[in-house]
Amino acid sequence: LEAHAEYSQYVELTKQVPVSMRSKSSVYQLLTARGNYTCFALTNKAIDQYLEGLVEEGLISEPSWDAFTDDNKRDSVLKVVVLNTVIDGGDTEEQRYTTSLITTFGNGKENAEFPLPNIYDHKLTVSTKAKTDTIFLDKECPMDPVNCDIPAINGVLHKLHKVIAPKDESFNLTFD
């Protein structure tokens, strides 16, 4: 991801977000370690659109992570944004979710769940829209149909065009 400028913001965010409250390791460090990860990598455009949405909702004054007036809220939102993009497949390569495997979840039912949760402990849903081959995560986040199934030493990458995260302030943005 570091070799591609369109993921630069996502890479930087993964360096800022810890894997959990009990660990000082960042998501970036986790993704560079051994394992079997499925990573839904966010483009800069997806992150910019998300920040614009937060401005429209009145949660921040300008589309920037620096626009948060409360550091705890900023950190909570960052965690939701980043931790929702990674599924840890554990020790088995069969838990690397390629598009062919993703499309089998629920045998074609809309909003079927992934068998494993992401590292935010949220089970993502998967669906396809009629007459398209596009896969959507959590109903509205399209995976790129061309830039998907990118093999990595320790997993698989999929380009994602929209942040998997809430915009509503009433959503509980705490980190467990």
Side-chain angles (χ1 to χ4, degrees):
L1 291 175
E2 288 179 311
H4 301 278
E6 72 179 319
Y7 299 108
S8 62
Q9 290 182 57
Y10 177 69
V11 170
E12 286 308 309
L13 294 180
T14 65
K15 291 177 181 180
Q16 296 175 35
V17 175
V19 174
S20 73
M21 288 181 62
R22 294 180 288 267
S23 174
K24 293 193 185 289
S25 296
S26 69
V27 172
Y28 177 85
Q29 290 169 315
L30 176 75
L31 292 175
T32 60
R34 87 172 208 22
N36 292 293
Y37 303 103
T38 301
C39 178
F40 301 102
L42 297 168
T43 63
N44 293 344
K45 184 176 178 182
I47 293 169
D48 290 342
Q49 287 174 339
Y50 178 71
L51 290 170
E52 287 286 345
L54 294 179
V55 171
E56 290 171 16
E57 298 264 335
L59 299 176
I60 55 177
S61 59
E62 61 182 274
S64 166
W65 293 106
D66 296 330
F68 281 88
T69 56
D70 180 331
D71 288 342
N72 289 330
K73 185 175 281 190
R74 176 191 176 273
D75 291 347
S76 291
V77 172
L78 277 172
K79 289 172 187 168
V80 170
V81 168
V82 173
L83 297 180
N84 271 327
T85 64
V86 179
I87 297 175
D88 183 351
D91 293 329
T92 172
E93 286 189 27
E94 289 76 36
Q95 298 293 356
R96 293 180 181 189
Y97 296 133
T98 60
T99 54
S100 62
L101 183 56
I102 291 170
T103 57
T104 66
F105 298 152
N107 295 322
K109 286 191 245 177
E110 290 294 308
N111 301 317
E113 286 187 344
F114 279 73
L116 294 174
N118 57 29
I119 58 176
Y120 191 63
D121 201 27
H122 169 73
K123 281 198 173 183
L124 298 174
T125 62
V126 59
S127 59
T128 55
K129 300 276 182 179
K131 300 181 184 178
T132 71
D133 290 335
T134 304
I135 297 170
F136 289 83
L137 304 178
D138 279 13
K139 298 180 186 174
E140 59 182 34
C141 301
M143 286 176 40
D144 189 293
V146 175
N147 295 301
C148 58
D149 297 332
I150 301 165
I153 293 170
N154 62 345
V156 62
L157 302 169
H158 303 282
K159 182 178 188 177
L160 200 59
H161 292 288
K162 188 171 182 181
V163 171
I164 306 168
K167 287 187 260 185
D168 191 296
E169 191 172 26
S170 66
F171 185 86
N172 184 4
L173 294 175
T174 59
F175 186 71
D176 300 328

